[in-house]
């Protein structure tokens, strides 16, 4: 059954795509069909159990924590004290894209996020490219966040029982270790929650989000006591290039706001609540990011951030001269980062669920357990892959690879919202991007600019990833797509 306010099941007649290979690559999946198939999987259906509060917490849970608790140590050496400006730039880039996401989420309330939006507006090949970017965005970011979780776990263990996990078992190859066991553990824990179903996972996430917000407010209250204005004297030591480079890295910290859009088929009233959850979460997260970054740089010279992946706990300890506060923050960070792993892993499984239902990836990803309403096999496969990746790859490279995949997907969303406005202006929209197409164009421009700020190695990794994706599509998805058969009259 469709949500209240869902688009009616009729559409103007459209010319069929050109015949042959080009026609198949350009074929669009009708919005009505996307919405009608919502929640349907192999052997069962997803359950609509999430309201506005849970959706907002999913979005905050997937976003808040990574940039502050983990990636700050990667970004500050690039921008210096101007890292606060980098957060603002990354936040503005996210805002323009969030407006487009909000409109499309309210119009096409399905689990595929930007993959489904691209399928409805730009055709199957572009949808596949977008979905492949989302696999990079979500799957790799789970691994990247899990790496940082291990750093704070060591801080917590050191402050409570005076021991730490040996470097050989707490760092990946290339960072002085053999295998990052804590990173694997947190992914497995998140997997256990997800196997219980969306509602149970949302409850656990809500508790963790409250803990993380409380931790960041506590950090600001204590960290401001060590604030030194001299730390801001040379505000932009590495110039605007450093600010934009740090912004591109920090954009990784904003990817979570679109996690709410992956819950479109499990929301009680998706068309009403998804746009609200996306915008509300982004405002809260951006405000907290900028505030905490400003306090952190004020309390610790920017030159000392390099190589620090548990920086906030260290600042608390230095400001107070006591280990208790740093240990408390480390505990909160362990909880906070675990919620990022949980919610981003959730988003990854739902995107693969949608792609599988369309026939572009194997059917196993769309199988739903009849008792829990969760895609169990999907969750197991994705979790094990992300866990192994987290245990074997250093954080910095993971963060940059995630950023470029995210930016590319967001760029496509900004294009999709304009295309759908032109092709289907009559469709009911519970949220509309103001000043369209100006703001979507700005969102696209910011994404392209920030992609250009990433280093050449990241671009090479991205190019290889996309090449592999195209091979997978033409070998598997091109032939098995559910739209490969001739369109029915109602879908033309």
């Amino acid at each position: 059954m469709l949500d209240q306010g869902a688009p009616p099941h009729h559409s103007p007649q459209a010319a069929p795509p050109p015949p042959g290979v080009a026609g198949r690559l350009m074929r669009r999946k009708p919005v009505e069909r996307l919405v009608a198939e919502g929640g349907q999987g192999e052997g069962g259906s997803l359950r609509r159990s999430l309201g506005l509060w849970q959706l907002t917490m999913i979005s905050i849970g997937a976003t808040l924590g990574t940039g502050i608790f983990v990636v700050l140590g990667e970004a500050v050496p690039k921008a210096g004290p101007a890292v606060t400006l980098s957060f603002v730039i990354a936040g503005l880039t996210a805002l323009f894209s969030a407006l487009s996401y909000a409109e499309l989420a309210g119009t096409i309330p399905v689990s595929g996020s930007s993959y489904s939006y691209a399928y409805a507006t730009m055709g199957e090949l572009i949808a596949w490219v977008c979905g492949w970017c989302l696999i990079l965005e979500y799957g790799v970011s789970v691994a990247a966040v899990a790496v940082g979780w291990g750093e704070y776990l060591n801080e917590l263990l050191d402050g409570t029982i005076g021991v730490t996990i040996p470097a050989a078992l707490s760092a990946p190859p290339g960072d002085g270790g053999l295998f990052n066991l804590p990173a694997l553990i947190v992914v497995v824990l998140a997997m256990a929650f997800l196997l219980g179903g969306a509602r149970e996972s949302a409850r656990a996430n809500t508790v963790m989000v409250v803990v993380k917000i409380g931790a960041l407010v506590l950090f600001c209250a204590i960290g401001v006591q060590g604030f030194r204005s001299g730390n801001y004297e040379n505000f932009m030591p590495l110039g605007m290039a450093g600010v934009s480079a740090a912004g591109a890295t920090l954009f990784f910290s904003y990817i979570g706001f679109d996690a709410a859009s992956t819950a479109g088929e499990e929301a009680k009233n998706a068309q009403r609540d998804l746009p609200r959850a996306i915008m509300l979460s982004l405002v809260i997260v951006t405000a907290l990011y900028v505030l905490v970054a400003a306090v952190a740089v004020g309390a610790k010279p920017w030159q000392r951030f390099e190589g620090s992946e548990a920086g906030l706990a260290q600042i608390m300890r230095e400001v107070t001269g006591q280990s208790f506060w740093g240990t408390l923050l480390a505990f909160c960070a362990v909880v906070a980062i675990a919620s990022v792993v949980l919610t981003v892993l959730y988003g990854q499984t739902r995107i693969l669920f949608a792609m599988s239902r369309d026939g572009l990836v194997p059917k196993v990803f769309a199988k739903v357990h009849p008792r829990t309403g969760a895609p169990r096999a999907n969750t197991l496969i994705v979790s094990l892959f992300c866990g192994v990746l987290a245990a074997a790859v250093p954080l910095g490279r993971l963060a940059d690879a995630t950023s470029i995949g995210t930016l590319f997907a967001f760029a496509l969303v900004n294009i999709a919202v304009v295309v759908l406005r032109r092709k289907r202006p009559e469709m009911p929209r519970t949220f509309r991007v103001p000043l369209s197409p100006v703001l979507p164009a700005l969102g696209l421009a910011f994404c392209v600019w920030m992609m250009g700020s990433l280093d050449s190695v990241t671009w090479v990794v991205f190019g290889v990833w996309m090449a592999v994706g195209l091979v997978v599509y033409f070998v598997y998805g091109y032939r098995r797509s559910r739209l490969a058969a001739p369109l029915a009259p109602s879908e033309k």
Side-chain angles (χ1 to χ4, degrees):
M1 178 178 289
L2 297 180
D3 289 329
Q4 183 179 0
H9 284 268
H10 61 80
S11 63
Q13 293 292 319
V21 174
R24 185 172 296 180
L25 298 181
M26 295 170 58
R27 182 170 292 155
R28 297 187 299 272
K29 188 172 183 178
V31 173
E32 290 76 15
R33 179 169 172 177
L34 279 166
V35 176
E37 292 178 354
Q40 298 176 16
E42 295 286 332
S45 300
L46 301 177
R47 297 174 182 173
R48 294 192 177 276
S49 59
L50 306 177
L52 175 61
W53 172 252
Q54 290 92 340
L55 292 170
T56 304
M57 290 299 102
I58 286 173
S59 192
I60 295 176
T63 312
L64 185 60
T66 310
I68 288 298
F69 287 110
V70 180
V71 184
L72 195 62
E74 297 277 336
V76 172
K78 296 180 180 179
V83 71
T84 52
L85 183 58
S86 299
F87 269 115
V88 173
I89 291 173
L92 282 174
T93 304
L95 174 62
F96 290 131
S97 296
L99 292 169
S100 296
Y101 262 101
E103 177 169 328
L104 290 173
T107 309
I108 312 174
V110 294
S111 288
S113 186
S114 51
Y115 155 77
S116 294
Y117 309 152
Y119 214 163
T121 57
M122 290 179 280
E124 185 170 287
L125 179 61
I126 300 299
W128 169 265
V129 169
C130 187
W132 195 247
C133 285
L134 290 174
I135 292 173
L136 180 66
E137 171 191 342
Y138 280 85
V140 178
S141 66
V142 167
V145 176
V147 172
W149 185 81
E151 296 290 331
Y152 275 97
L153 179 63
N154 261 338
E155 287 280 330
L156 177 61
L157 293 174
D158 186 37
T160 52
I161 60 178
V163 300
T164 58
I165 301 172
L169 295 178
S170 61
D175 274 1
L178 298 175
F179 192 78
N180 195 327
L181 181 61
L184 178 60
I185 290 174
V186 70
V187 174
V188 171
L189 289 174
M191 178 187 72
F193 279 112
L194 291 175
L195 291 175
R199 182 167 57 184
E200 290 73 15
S201 301
R203 288 173 178 170
N205 174 66
T206 297
V207 173
M208 291 188 280
V209 168
V210 171
V211 169
K212 79 167 79 177
I213 292 177
L216 293 175
V217 171
L218 176 65
F219 170 80
C220 292
I222 294 178
V224 74
Q225 299 175 29
F227 191 92
R228 299 290 182 270
S229 59
N231 291 340
Y232 278 92
E233 286 182 355
N234 188 8
F235 182 69
M236 201 179 295
L238 302 174
M240 195 61 198
V243 173
S244 62
T249 296
L250 289 171
F251 192 79
F252 164 82
S253 311
Y254 286 91
I255 70 166
F257 77 80
D258 62 327
S261 68
T262 67
E265 296 172 24
E266 291 163 286
K268 295 176 182 177
N269 192 333
Q271 292 184 300
R272 182 196 67 189
D273 293 340
L274 286 179
R276 296 178 182 180
I278 289 170
M279 299 308 301
L280 182 60
S281 64
L282 186 61
V283 169
I284 293 172
V285 166
T286 302
L288 280 169
Y289 274 167
V290 173
L291 179 61
V292 173
V295 172
V297 176
K300 182 176 181 177
W302 70 271
Q303 298 90 340
R304 293 172 50 203
F305 275 83
E306 189 165 4
S308 173
E309 292 175 354
L312 299 191
Q314 295 169 6
I315 291 172
M316 292 273 277
R317 187 166 56 245
E318 292 170 5
V319 169
T320 62
Q322 301 175 10
S323 62
F324 170 77
W325 295 107
T327 302
L328 177 61
L329 189 75
F331 167 76
C332 294
V334 166
V335 174
I337 298 173
S339 76
V340 179
V341 175
L342 173 66
T343 48
V344 176
L345 192 63
Y346 167 85
Q348 173 69 98
T349 60
R350 271 45 181 186
I351 289 165
L352 282 169
F353 175 87
M355 295 177 73
S356 175
R357 187 172 56 203
D358 291 333
L360 301 185
V361 297
K363 290 183 179 181
V364 66
F365 291 102
K367 290 184 177 179
V368 177
H369 192 273
R371 182 176 60 83
T372 64
R376 281 197 165 183
N378 181 342
T379 302
L380 285 167
I381 294 169
V382 172
S383 299
L384 292 177
F385 172 80
C386 292
V388 172
L389 189 65
V393 182
L395 169 65
R397 190 57 58 200
L398 285 173
D400 283 348
T402 301
S403 290
I404 196 168
T406 304
L407 287 164
F408 192 86
F410 283 12
L412 292 178
V413 169
N414 284 297
I415 296 172
V417 74
V418 176
V419 171
L420 192 62
R421 282 269 193 107
R422 292 183 180 276
K423 290 185 177 294
R424 300 293 304 276
E426 83 290 350
M427 289 189 67
R429 290 166 169 84
T430 54
F431 177 86
R432 299 177 71 91
V433 179
L435 302 177
S436 179
V438 176
L439 292 188
L442 284 173
L444 174 62
F446 267 82
C447 288
V448 172
W449 173 53
M450 296 193 76
M451 287 176 72
S453 299
L454 293 167
D455 61 41
S456 58
V457 175
T458 301
W459 274 97
V460 170
V461 171
F462 181 66
V464 171
W465 176 258
M466 295 310 301
V468 172
L470 290 174
V471 171
V472 173
Y473 171 70
F474 283 107
V475 169
Y476 185 92
Y478 176 79
R479 292 176 174 82
R480 297 175 182 267
S481 167
R482 290 185 62 191
L483 293 187
L487 290 174
S490 62
E491 296 172 1
K492 290 183 179 179

